[in-house]
């Protein structure tokens, strides 16, 4: 599944995502979803109220790119 970063607020986070950039989600959202950032670091994801977010971290949201 491909995702687009819809919110990227780095703050003191080590992850670096670019708003509007596409990223490939690895795994499945219900079990082991994760994505790699621009620096090659791995961020685990979860879905809440239809929004895909970075697990345990504030500042990163993603949306599924529909085919």
């Amino acid at each position: 599944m491909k995702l687009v970063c819809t919110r990227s607020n780095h703050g003191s986070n080590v992850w670096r995502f670019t708003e509007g950039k596409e990223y490939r989600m690895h795994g499945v959202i219900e079990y082991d979803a994760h994505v790699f950032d621009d620096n090659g670091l791995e961020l685990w994801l979860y879905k809440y109220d239809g929004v895909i977010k970075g697990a345990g971290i504030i500042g990163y949201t993603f949306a599924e790119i529909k085919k």
Side-chain angles (χ1 to χ4, degrees):
M1 175 189 307
K2 285 193 176 182
L3 306 174
V4 64
C5 181
T6 57
R7 181 171 168 235
S8 182
N9 180 7
H10 303 306
S12 62
N13 299 326
V14 298
W15 295 274
R16 295 289 180 256
F17 292 95
T18 303
E19 284 186 36
K21 184 176 177 181
E22 293 181 10
Y23 296 91
R24 183 173 181 267
M25 185 180 80
H26 303 269
V28 293
I29 197 66
E30 296 85 8
Y31 178 63
D32 61 352
H34 58 282
V35 65
F36 293 95
D37 76 352
D38 297 336
N39 296 329
L41 299 174
E42 191 173 33
L43 177 65
W44 296 94
L45 304 172
Y46 72 100
K47 193 171 194 176
Y48 181 76
D49 283 344
V51 178
I52 299 172
K53 299 181 177 191
I57 194 132
I58 298 171
Y60 299 115
T61 61
F62 300 87
E64 180 180 351
I65 298 173
K66 302 290 183 183
K67 294 180 181 179

